[in-house]
Amino acid sequence: MTATLTVNKSIFKENIKQVTRGAAVMAVVKNNAYNFGLDFAVNTFLEEGIQTFSTTSLHEAIQIRRLAPTSMIFLMNPSVEFETLREYDIQMTLPSLSFYHQYQNELAGINVHLEYENLLHRSGFKTFEEMKQVIQENSQLPKERKLNITGIWTHFGYADEFDVTEYEQEKQAWLLGLQEMIGIHSFQYIHAQNSASFMRDDLFEQHTHARLGIVLYGCRPYSSLPETAVKQSLTLSATVIQCRNLKQGESAGYSFAYTAKTDTTVAVVDIGYGDGVLRTRSQHDCLINGKRYPIRALMMSHLLVEVDKSVKSQDKVILYGEDIRIDEYTFKGVGANSEQISALNHCSLERKMIE
Ligand SMILES: Cc1ncc(COP(=O)(O)O)c(C=O)c1O
């Protein structure tokens, strides 16, 4: 047995149904669908009736088009490959007034969604007045030079924060501006909410889609959400290769990585940072035969886990699974859910799909 990444497709699908609660969803499939695999994710979302996708890279957008010929595909980063956008019918963010003015001619015929910057300050128009200026200037162009303003959107930077007021601020700024914008233009797509915002607030009125990532992939975006609300379909497992006894004071692993405080046993496990186990994750525990044991050292292809005499060679070691969730470690400070998932190395791990 080697270190294995298993996705249970039935659980993945059950989770989609459970978290979306019948709302219209734009599935965020960037970064190879949060490392679940773009083909797998897009096909499964399609099977579950999701017909709207977003990503940040044009090459992924093209791959989605091949998988989903009739879907709406939204590129969240701007691209200047205008011909390709037209060829593959990819809608794109309009990220600023200056981008509009710089590429006004090339943008003709492209479908764009006006992006509001808000508190994240990563991209987008500074003000709704600037967006109105685009609508006004575009309306004065001859038909063949017009771009198509099909959508409007923003992205919240604080939706998973409960102890500060920034989420309320960014929400109010957006909802207020949106009222003005829908008064002067008809938008086919209105989307703002990530997983945390949608799980907290349900789909806002007048919004056509929730733009969801992590919750579709089975992780809770914030800790006060009960575990039962989101089902994890991913299991990361490995195997005990052998158990070694250490005497008190003996060290194991490179450069005294772990020194035994008493006589003890360590299990040598066939997974390491080369497979994507984060160093921060290795400061916690893993599950062997239903019991948690502390990880004591992390190497490229191995972990040392302090165990008891019940653990034997060939026992299965679970790093992530239904009973040892990725989001548990997010809330323990290991790193964002997506950071832990993105690290997993699909080239070195054996991959299994359970239908
Ligand atoms: C612009 C944008 N929208 C939506 C999402 C989805 O966020 P989440 O994974 O929290 O649902 C992301 C993810 O980073 C994003 O960058």
Side-chain angles (χ1 to χ4, degrees):
M1 278 258 296
T2 57
T4 305
L5 180 65
T6 308
V7 174
N8 184 316
K9 189 173 174 184
S10 314
I11 297 179
F12 189 89
K13 290 176 91 163
E14 276 169 35
N15 181 58
I16 298 170
K17 284 193 196 77
Q18 178 169 317
V19 298
T20 58
R21 317 188 286 280
V25 163
M26 181 187 295
V28 180
V29 292
K30 64 181 186 166
N31 293 94
N32 197 28
Y34 286 52
N35 214 15
F36 272 70
L38 195 57
D39 291 24
F40 162 75
V42 170
N43 286 330
T44 311
F45 290 139
L46 286 170
E47 285 170 27
E48 286 305 307
I50 294 176
Q51 276 289 352
T52 312
F53 299 96
S54 59
T55 181
T56 43
S57 84
L58 186 57
H59 77 88
E60 281 192 337
I62 293 167
Q63 202 180 329
I64 301 165
R65 174 57 72 223
R66 295 195 173 111
L67 295 163
T70 59
S71 292
M72 197 288 271
I73 301 169
F74 177 59
L75 186 60
M76 300 189 283
N77 280 346
S79 165
V80 293
E81 294 190 43
F82 300 104
E83 263 323 302
T84 311
L85 292 168
R86 281 190 204 89
E87 182 183 345
Y88 291 94
D89 186 17
I90 292 160
Q91 310 211 7
M92 182 182 80
T93 186
L94 193 65
S96 65
L97 189 59
S98 58
F99 185 93
Y100 173 63
H101 284 148
Q102 185 175 358
Y103 296 107
Q104 202 175 45
N105 294 333
E106 294 88 338
L107 280 163
I110 305 268
N111 295 315
V112 298
H113 299 199
L114 303 175
E115 178 178 0
Y116 178 54
E117 176 174 325
N118 226 332
L119 294 189
L120 186 63
H121 298 299
R122 189 168 71 181
S123 180
F125 286 74
K126 289 272 175 207
T127 65
F128 289 96
E129 289 311 311
E130 289 182 342
M131 293 187 187
K132 287 182 197 163
Q133 193 180 328
V134 172
I135 292 172
Q136 164 72 8
E137 287 183 25
N138 191 52
S139 72
Q140 286 167 355
L141 294 174
K143 201 167 170 232
E144 66 282 2
R145 290 189 51 209
K146 276 188 175 40
L147 50 69
N148 305 318
I149 302 168
T150 55
I152 186 164
W153 72 297
T154 194
H155 185 44
F156 297 129
Y158 296 88
D160 57 358
E161 298 284 347
F162 285 77
D163 301 332
V164 293
T165 58
E166 272 72 6
Y167 175 55
E168 281 309 313
Q169 286 173 37
E170 60 188 352
K171 195 166 109 178
Q172 288 318 318
W174 162 250
L175 293 175
L176 214 65
L178 181 64
Q179 283 319 303
E180 285 182 43
M181 297 305 293
I182 56 183
I184 61 162
H185 188 83
S186 165
F187 297 98
Q188 203 182 343
Y189 299 100
I190 302 176
H191 47 104
Q193 294 173 272
N194 63 359
S195 298
S197 171
F198 176 69
M199 296 308 277
R200 281 171 84 155
D201 287 339
D202 286 324
L203 188 64
F204 293 152
E205 276 178 26
Q206 289 160 328
H207 286 60
T208 62
H209 294 82
R211 202 178 55 252
L212 304 183
I214 198 64
V215 80
L216 294 177
Y217 299 98
C219 296
R220 289 175 298 158
Y222 51 86
S223 61
S224 57
L225 203 58
E227 284 191 359
T228 49
V230 187
K231 293 183 198 300
Q232 181 175 311
S233 59
L234 181 152
T235 300
L236 179 66
S237 61
T239 306
V240 174
I241 307 170
Q242 51 181 303
C243 291
R244 316 288 301 185
N245 295 322
L246 293 181
K247 295 227 173 305
Q248 181 186 10
E250 273 187 325
S251 293
Y254 294 111
S255 304
F256 313 102
Y258 167 61
T259 304
K261 290 198 176 73
T262 55
D263 290 0
T264 191
T265 305
V266 289
V268 183
V269 180
D270 61 355
I271 190 168
Y273 61 76
D275 303 295
V277 178
L278 296 179
R279 182 154 296 276
T280 45
R281 174 67 185 84
S282 76
Q283 285 153 10
H284 295 271
D285 49 9
C286 59
L287 198 60
I288 308 176
N289 304 325
K291 186 173 167 190
R292 301 262 185 141
Y293 294 97
I295 301 169
R296 295 302 189 194
L298 171 70
M299 290 165 261
M300 188 172 179
S301 321
H302 300 95
L303 292 178
L304 299 181
V305 180
E306 188 173 1
V307 295
D308 53 34
K309 294 291 178 206
S310 70
V311 173
K312 299 277 178 286
S313 135
Q314 299 309 312
D315 282 351
K316 190 170 178 179
V317 180
I318 302 181
L319 273 292
Y320 296 124
E322 277 179 85
D323 300 320
I324 184 161
R325 296 171 58 113
I326 296 160
D327 50 34
E328 171 187 335
Y329 295 97
T330 303
F331 308 136
K332 285 178 173 165
V334 164
N337 288 311
S338 50
E339 196 176 335
Q340 294 177 71
I341 300 170
S342 298
L344 300 175
N345 183 351
H346 287 234
C347 295
S348 67
L349 292 165
E350 188 177 330
R351 291 175 65 181
K352 278 195 191 146
M353 181 70 62
I354 299 175
E355 291 289 328

